[in-house]
Amino acid sequence: MGDQGSLSLEERLEAANNAIEALLETLSHDLRTPLNTILGFAELMDSAILGPVGNPQYREYVADICREGRSMLDILNDVLDRRRFESMKRSEKDFRHMIELAPDLISICRDGVIQVINPAGANMLGVWPVETVVGRRFKDFMHEDFHALVDGGLEALTDRTTRLPLRLHRVGGADVDVELAALRYHDESDGDVGAGAVMLMARDVSERNRALLQLAQREEHIRRIMDTVVEGIVTFDEKGNIETANPSAEQIFGYAAGTLIGTKAASLLDPSVRHYYITELIRYSKTGGSEIIGRSRDTIGLRADGTVIDLVLSISTLSFGGRRLFTSAIHDNTKRKHAERRLFEMATLDPLTKMPNRNVRNARLEGAIVRLQETGGRMAVIFLDLDNFKIINDALGHTVSDDVIRMAGARLHDIVGDYGLVAHLGGDEFSIIVDEPIPDSELETLPQRLLSAIAEPFDIQGKEVFTSASIGVVNYPDDGDSVAALLKNVDLAVHEAKRKGSGVFQFYTTALSASAERRMEVERRLRRALSNDELYLVFQPKIDLDTRTISGAEALLRWESPDLGAISPVEFIPVAEESGMIGEIGRWVLLNACETAASWLEVTDSPCHVGVNFSAAQFLEPDIVEWVQYCLKVSGLDPSRLDVELTESMLVQNPARTIETLNAIKALGVTVSMDDFGTGYWSLSYLTRFPLSSLKVDRAFVNDLPGGTDAVAIARAIISMAKHLDLKIVAEGIENESQVEFLHALGCQTGQGYLFSKPLTNEAFRQLLLADSEKTLRVNFS
């Protein structure tokens, strides 16, 4: 190789041209291909094929890439193409050689007809050999969607400064996507061929477009999945800047679409947990260790409006394009946390007072016993029950009574303070556990201070409401060494306090009688007796002493407890009255007695009536008349066959109201009888004022008839008075014929007693009715 300084000018120019050609070829391979790829991606992003670009700064950046990329490609293509054409023109040999070897389609056309085309071009058009393509119109190989571009001739393509995306139709195969460049062509050495000619260069970009389309489809598929995922997905960089956020994340945090992009990820966390997460991410970036990467954790989020939400947050890492990103999966846990808190409250707090409930009381008591067994300490358990609280509820309504309960609980809590626990067990009952050290002087005065606090008037809606309380107290371990024993004994103590009157406290002692325990047991069992079908009715016949036939029966309540056995009404009726259960029991008795009496018509045509005893508490209920009317309607019983029986002590408790109620009952067609007449403190002046139908002579006077002088005198007086008041007479407790004869002679119309029959089940009584209707009834039915 000779010294370049000795070369001629022409040889130097040729060497320079060769160097330029080599440089241009390198540029063609090393620059245009990646530039086209970058430009293709930018165009996909700009046209939103890969999904919307939310951040305005990103959209402007994409536009800049498209604009500058096209400009660079235009310059490069122009330099390469013009240099190539100039090289072609220099030498026919070089011209043919470059066309033959070029991998792209190169064709020279005149008036739209192909004059020259290289093998690569013919292969791209699907026509072989090359000679068969010459002479055909280039437009015929263009897809019809692009024909309009060359309606004015191929020369129109030379005006474009950028390569033209075009689709060619490959004969016998699939269409080919190309990028086409067109330049006017003129070869001075060959005027015939080059005159008015256009040189076309087309590069096959089908594979690249397919790859880009597949990538775009895959990106779109992923985007759609992310858009429909219920969980929030947020990605952010190592500086904490959010790069992507799906719609669920925007909804969870209350942001408008696209507004999360570019903000700080830490702003989505409540300040109370923000520092912890930032510290852990920094530690991970430095050491690769972290408590939060790859783990789900409960945390607290912060919405756009400043409200906090419960979250389950999981953070993982992602390497992309040489960068490390963090991906966070976010689940809105607010509803579950709210449900958990609600369940916890339901399990531990009384819904009315928000005070600890029975469950917490029991747990506290169990824990205190375990602790005191180890330390040898003592504690007190107090049961407080508001007195006559039903009166407040009935008179003033639930709203006022609820306020009294809440205020009473607050007063008790203020007194007990840190010495123990005050729990609301429901209704008007409170339980207090004093399990923390307390001076003996304060413990001794505590029950009275609690009573005094409750006795203070409650100011509710501008009105003063008064009540009192009864308190029972037990001490651990003297009065019981277990939860069950302590609760049982404090229950006994408070009931003893209530029995003594209002505003009383009672310490438990072993002197509390077995009858008190029995009474408590009866009350507990009685509360379940109705629902367990333990109560039932029996019927004691009433006999017409003139005809010795059945005129009716008295319905009597019985109770057979599976645990306590048969319990006498003398024992359980007072318990039912004092505990407030008598109303419900009395309504059950009346309805069942009416339904049973209505069924007696199935075995007899006689007007057999049924007598039902009303207790004092039941008779004073405000809806008693309506209930009587309801029972008659439901059962279909003729009102004249129902006899309501009341004691004389009931009638004088509230005479004015009693007379009003009795008149309303009699207006229904029901008869009213006075039971156990002569045993109370009766004023004869009342007798004329009450709308009675009959008197029942108590068995205490019948037992000594006819031999007892005093009994005879009283019986004569009662029957004589009743006859003058036009009242029917019923004698109870008849046990022999001499009593029947004596009473009947005095004018007594109806008898009842073991001489005729003991109380019978309904089935047995129906058999008596059937025998009576068939005239086979004997005097003694038993």
Side-chain angles (χ1 to χ4, degrees):
M1 184 173 180
D3 182 73
Q4 188 166 345
S6 63
L7 296 177
S8 65
L9 177 60
E10 183 177 351
E11 289 175 332
R12 290 180 183 178
L13 290 175
E14 181 66 24
N17 285 332
N18 292 336
I20 292 173
E21 288 291 339
L23 175 61
L24 291 178
E25 289 298 327
T26 300
L27 289 174
S28 176
H29 181 271
D30 294 341
L31 291 181
R32 184 157 53 183
T33 299
L35 185 59
N36 281 331
T37 301
I38 294 172
L39 188 58
F41 271 113
E43 289 174 346
L44 287 173
M45 295 175 67
D46 190 43
S47 59
I49 294 178
L50 298 178
V53 180
N55 194 308
Q57 294 178 344
Y58 285 5
R59 288 196 295 271
E60 185 176 342
Y61 182 53
V62 169
D64 287 341
I65 292 174
C66 290
R67 183 170 55 256
E68 298 300 329
R70 291 191 189 100
S71 177
M72 291 175 63
L73 190 61
D74 290 344
I75 294 171
L76 183 61
N77 287 335
D78 184 64
V79 170
L80 291 174
D81 292 339
R82 293 183 182 279
R83 184 69 183 181
R84 182 176 296 167
F85 293 158
E86 290 173 1
S87 180
M88 288 179 184
K89 295 176 182 179
R90 286 197 304 270
S91 165
E92 176 68 18
K93 179 180 178 181
D94 291 340
F95 170 74
R96 296 296 180 184
H97 179 70
M98 292 184 66
I99 288 180
E100 293 292 330
L101 297 180
D104 299 332
L105 179 149
I106 300 177
S107 176
I108 299 175
C109 302
R110 192 179 67 179
D111 297 330
V113 177
I114 298 173
Q115 301 294 316
V116 177
I117 190 169
N118 64 342
N123 183 61
M124 187 181 297
L125 300 180
V127 180
W128 197 261
V130 174
E131 291 76 10
T132 59
V133 185
V134 176
R136 299 178 63 174
R137 293 195 311 164
F138 188 81
K139 182 177 181 181
D140 294 340
F141 294 97
M142 293 172 57
H143 192 280
E144 59 184 8
D145 291 345
F146 298 87
H147 283 181
L149 296 175
V150 294
D151 284 345
L154 295 178
E155 292 80 2
L157 301 179
T158 62
D159 296 332
R160 301 181 65 90
T161 59
T162 61
R163 286 182 173 265
L164 173 69
L166 192 70
R167 181 167 299 166
L168 299 178
H169 181 68
R170 180 180 175 85
V171 177
D175 293 341
V176 181
D177 292 325
V178 300
E179 289 181 349
L180 182 71
L183 292 173
R184 295 183 181 276
Y185 178 78
H186 178 71
D187 189 350
E188 295 177 356
S189 64
D190 190 354
D192 292 336
V193 175
V198 174
M199 175 174 281
L200 303 174
M201 295 183 66
R203 174 163 295 169
D204 187 349
V205 293
S206 301
E207 198 62 37
R208 188 197 71 182
N209 287 355
R210 277 194 294 271
L212 291 176
L213 181 60
Q214 289 176 357
L215 178 61
Q217 290 173 342
R218 185 163 58 251
E219 293 285 345
E220 176 67 11
H221 180 63
I222 293 174
R223 187 183 66 81
R224 289 184 180 274
I225 291 176
M226 300 306 294
D227 287 350
T228 56
V229 167
V230 176
E231 306 295 319
I233 305 294
V234 173
T235 62
F236 55 94
D237 61 21
E238 290 187 292
K239 294 183 179 180
N241 299 313
I242 295 177
E243 295 194 356
T244 65
N246 70 342
S248 292
E250 295 167 342
Q251 183 178 2
I252 289 173
F253 293 102
Y255 284 84
T259 56
L260 271 176
I261 308 301
T263 62
K264 292 292 185 180
S267 66
L268 303 181
L269 296 175
D270 185 72
S272 62
V273 298
R274 191 177 297 167
H275 178 72
Y276 168 75
Y277 277 88
I278 292 175
T279 302
E280 283 298 307
L281 288 175
I282 293 174
R283 183 163 76 92
Y284 178 79
S285 297
K286 292 180 178 179
T287 67
S290 174
E291 295 180 355
I292 62 174
I293 300 300
R295 301 178 183 179
S296 293
R297 301 176 65 93
D298 288 348
T299 190
I300 305 173
L302 187 67
R303 289 174 54 86
D305 59 6
T307 58
V308 296
I309 50 176
D310 293 301
L311 302 176
V312 176
L313 177 63
S314 175
I315 301 178
S316 59
T317 59
L318 172 68
S319 295
F320 181 78
R323 302 170 57 228
R324 179 163 58 193
L325 299 177
F326 295 96
T327 300
S328 55
I330 304 160
H331 174 71
D332 188 348
N333 206 27
T334 305
K335 289 184 178 179
R336 184 174 70 84
K337 284 291 186 181
H338 176 75
E340 288 178 354
R341 285 191 287 267
R342 178 61 179 158
L343 288 174
F344 179 78
E345 289 183 1
M346 292 173 63
T348 60
L349 299 182
D350 169 67
L352 174 62
T353 62
K354 302 304 179 184
M355 300 176 69
N357 63 7
R358 189 182 304 271
N359 295 332
V360 176
R361 189 277 307 268
N362 292 346
R364 177 73 171 258
L365 195 53
E366 290 176 357
I369 290 176
V370 172
R371 175 167 52 86
L372 295 177
Q373 283 175 343
E374 297 176 355
T375 62
R378 305 174 63 83
M379 73 172 166
V381 179
I382 299 173
F383 190 106
L384 183 146
D385 186 279
L386 299 182
D387 297 324
N388 303 314
F389 189 73
K390 187 176 184 298
I391 296 177
I392 296 177
N393 191 55
D394 292 342
L396 302 179
H398 290 292
T399 302
V400 172
S401 63
D402 287 349
D403 287 342
V404 170
I405 291 293
R406 281 190 286 264
M407 295 173 69
R411 292 182 183 182
L412 298 177
H413 185 271
D414 290 342
I415 293 175
V416 175
D418 297 330
Y419 292 133
L421 171 78
V422 180
H424 182 218
L425 307 183
D428 56 0
E429 299 178 344
F430 294 87
S431 184
I432 300 168
I433 301 174
V434 183
D435 58 350
E436 298 295 337
I438 180 173
D440 291 341
S441 58
E442 291 195 32
L443 181 59
E444 291 174 0
T445 61
L446 181 60
Q448 186 57 56
R449 287 188 286 129
L450 294 173
L451 291 179
S452 299
I454 297 299
E456 290 292 324
F458 294 90
D459 186 358
I460 300 176
Q461 300 176 6
K463 297 180 180 180
E464 288 189 337
V465 179
F466 292 86
T467 187
S468 60
S470 298
I471 286 179
V473 185
V474 296
N475 291 296
Y476 172 87
D478 298 339
D479 301 328
D481 58 1
S482 67
V483 173
L486 290 172
L487 295 182
K488 175 186 176 183
N489 292 338
V490 78
D491 213 16
L492 287 173
V494 76
H495 275 78
E496 182 67 13
K498 292 184 78 68
R499 192 178 68 82
K500 292 180 178 180
S502 301
V504 175
F505 68 88
Q506 173 70 51
F507 284 93
Y508 173 81
T509 66
T510 55
L512 287 176
S513 64
S515 62
E517 296 187 20
R518 167 72 178 186
R519 187 183 186 86
M520 283 298 305
E521 187 68 15
V522 167
E523 180 179 338
R524 279 194 291 267
R525 303 294 182 183
L526 185 58
R527 292 188 182 276
R528 299 191 296 269
L530 262 182
S531 59
N532 293 343
D533 293 328
E534 298 172 14
L535 300 180
Y536 63 96
L537 297 179
V538 294
F539 302 89
Q540 186 170 33
K542 295 180 180 180
I543 306 302
D544 187 321
L545 298 183
D546 291 331
T547 63
R548 295 297 182 97
T549 59
I550 299 174
S551 61
E554 181 181 1
L556 301 171
L557 181 61
R558 296 291 183 266
W559 177 21
E560 184 74 27
S561 170
D563 301 304
L564 304 178
I567 304 174
S568 169
V570 176
E571 182 178 10
F572 74 78
I573 290 298
V575 174
E577 290 179 335
E578 293 177 9
S579 64
M581 291 184 284
I582 192 63
E584 182 181 5
I585 293 174
R587 287 191 291 271
W588 180 87
V589 169
L590 180 61
L591 179 59
N592 278 269
C594 290
E595 291 177 339
T596 302
S599 71
W600 292 341
L601 288 176
E602 299 172 0
V603 295
T604 181
D605 294 332
S606 62
C608 186
H609 69 272
V610 64
V612 180
N613 293 283
F614 276 25
S615 72
Q618 181 186 7
F619 188 72
L620 294 177
E621 289 185 341
D623 62 343
I624 184 63
V625 178
E626 289 78 4
W627 184 252
V628 173
Q629 188 176 18
Y630 170 79
C631 292
L632 292 171
K633 180 180 179 181
V634 170
S635 65
L637 181 67
D638 188 327
S640 64
R641 295 173 58 200
L642 174 62
D643 185 49
V644 174
E645 300 183 7
L646 306 102
T647 63
E648 59 180 273
S649 60
M650 290 169 53
L651 297 177
V652 297
Q653 286 182 6
N654 190 337
R657 181 177 175 182
T658 299
I659 292 172
E660 180 183 354
T661 302
L662 289 178
N663 283 327
I665 290 176
K666 287 205 70 173
L668 299 175
V670 177
T671 60
V672 180
S673 297
M674 182 184 294
D675 195 10
D676 301 332
F677 182 75
T679 59
Y681 300 96
W682 180 251
S683 174
L684 295 179
S685 63
Y686 283 133
L687 197 58
T688 60
R689 297 171 55 191
F690 291 104
L692 301 175
S693 304
S694 62
L695 295 178
K696 296 186 72 175
V697 182
D698 189 77
R699 68 181 66 249
F701 305 118
V702 175
N703 286 341
D704 294 336
L705 294 177
T709 304
D710 292 340
V712 169
I714 293 175
R716 287 182 185 276
I718 293 175
I719 294 174
S720 176
M721 179 181 60
K723 289 171 66 176
H724 283 88
L725 294 175
D726 197 25
L727 298 176
K728 293 182 179 181
I729 305 298
V730 180
E732 295 181 309
I734 297 177
E735 296 183 355
N736 55 65
E737 278 293 336
S738 61
Q739 292 171 339
V740 175
E741 291 175 0
F742 178 80
L743 290 168
H744 187 246
L746 290 179
C748 181
Q749 299 97 339
T750 306
Q752 183 179 351
Y754 274 34
L755 172 65
F756 307 113
S757 176
K758 64 181 180 180
L760 303 171
T761 64
N762 179 46
E763 185 59 35
F765 182 71
R766 287 167 65 96
Q767 293 298 323
L768 283 184
L769 287 178
L770 182 61
D772 187 40
S773 65
E774 295 174 351
K775 307 305 180 184
T776 61
L777 183 66
R778 296 176 297 169
V779 173
N780 190 347
F781 299 145
S782 59

